[in-house]
Each structure stands twice: as C-alpha cells, then as structure tokens.
Amino acid sequence: CSPEETQRVHAALRQWVSQHAGAEAAAACRLVYTGSVNEANAAQYAQLPDVDGFVVGRAGLDADKLMAICTTLALCKSRLVGA
C-alpha cells in the first residue's frame, strides 16, 4: 500500500494499543511494515512516524540492497528521534 495508507493503518494500530494497554505500551510497541520495500522506496516508509521497521523480502537476498535498506531506515529513524 502507499506510504499514506501505511501510516494511517500503523497509527490506528498504535492508538488501539494505547487505548487497550496504555500509552507506555503503545510507545514501546514496534510496528513493522510488511509490504514490498526495496532500496528505492525504503525512505518513503522509514520516515513514517508509526513505522518502526521492515520485513524485507526479495531485496534481502542481495547484500548490497539489504545494506542500503538498513542504512536508510537507521538514518531516517535517527533524524526522527533528533527532531
């Protein structure tokens, strides 16, 4: 799905956890995007505030692609934490 739809769904999931288990649990919960992520679109998903990581499929079979995805995720998340 699109990054916008992904964020909408992940935000709703985090809100549900917050309502049923508390804000601390919602903040501690790690939500991962399980759609098709690759080195070309990783940044679009990594910058979403309610996406905490990825389940990498075929792109993970190529070490260079996997490294690019992991690096993108780490950089995007470090920028969100520093913001």
Side-chain angles (χ1 to χ4, degrees):
C1 58
S2 71
E4 296 79 15
E5 179 69 4
T6 300
Q7 175 56 30
R8 186 188 70 74
V9 170
H10 282 220
L13 289 169
R14 197 172 305 279
Q15 181 179 15
W16 186 92
V17 173
S18 181
Q19 291 172 344
H20 291 85
E24 188 174 329
C29 185
R30 297 295 164 242
L31 300 175
V32 296
Y33 175 63
T34 61
S36 183
V37 68
N38 56 51
E39 70 280 8
N41 67 8
Q44 293 176 313
Y45 293 93
Q47 67 185 347
L48 300 174
D50 288 301
V51 172
D52 299 309
F54 306 131
V55 174
V56 180
R58 265 181 277 176
L61 298 175
D62 180 309
D64 292 333
K65 290 179 181 181
L66 181 59
M67 180 59 80
I69 293 167
C70 292
T71 300
T72 297
L73 180 64
L75 288 172
C76 287
K77 291 305 172 186
S78 68
R79 288 182 191 136
L80 286 176
V81 171

